[in-house]
Amino acid sequence: MTRLHLFDMDGTLLHGTSAPREISRQLGLEAETVELDRAISMGLIGPPEYAVRVHALWAELTAVHVAAAFEGAPWLARIREVWAEIRSRGEYCAVVSLSPSFFVERLTGWGAHAAHGSRFPAVPFTEPVDPAGALSPAAKVVIADRLCAQFGVSRAECVAYGDSLSDRDLFAAVPTSVAVNADEHLAGLATHAYAGLDLWDAYELVR
């Protein structure tokens, strides 16, 4: 039997932060993004409006900024080692995140079989963002089902890793889950819980 490991990124693979915050830090706009994060977490705005507003905030964004944000972000240790181990076992690993696709997709270079994020135009922006391309928590389950079909596995063979409210739907949809440095929204939902800075230790709970 093979398995599909589904990883959230913000707050899970990225410790204590998110891709939008790391990107905005490169532009000196972190405080503005923290306010947007607060608004979406309180339900004052949804993913489509968040995408439009953060796209406008990043009018001066370049590929150099994105690369610097990715390379300088506080990633958990041994992400690449975990994904190499998963591949060596004939299993699959994918990242499903609400963050911009142009950032999330860089993780395929670390060994993820697939990486899905909210659809954004290429950087530097020369066209508007389509609000319909912004992912929601429920969309994570839709993408997980699509990945199951792609890799020939069922939901019963999935393991989800996440940290917050955006992962509740996915945790409820699969039988095995690991709460990684999680907040109260996942209390009682996860099969396992991990607090720390090394993905290998979280992975060993289900290895």
Side-chain angles (χ1 to χ4, degrees), residues 26 32-33 62 74 92 106 110 117 119 124 143 146 154-155 176 178 180 185:
Q26 297 296 320
E32 289 83 346
T33 304
T62 68
Y92 301 96
R106 286 175 169 261
W110 285 11
R119 292 196 309 273
I143 292 171
R146 192 183 307 151
S154 68
R155 283 192 188 182
T176 307
V178 183
V180 180
H185 293 105

Side-chain angles (χ1 to χ4, degrees), residues 49-96:
E49 183 176 351
Y50 183 96
V52 170
R53 291 175 65 175
V54 80
H55 175 271
L57 195 64
W58 294 338
E60 303 302 319
L61 187 64
T62 68
V64 172
H65 292 129
V66 177
F70 186 90
E71 292 162 11
W75 299 100
L76 291 191
R78 295 200 283 181
I79 293 173
R80 280 169 277 201
E81 288 84 349
V82 168
W83 293 348
E85 162 77 1
I86 289 171
R87 282 177 169 269
S88 75
R89 296 167 65 94
E91 299 180 358
Y92 301 96
C93 51
V95 182
V96 185

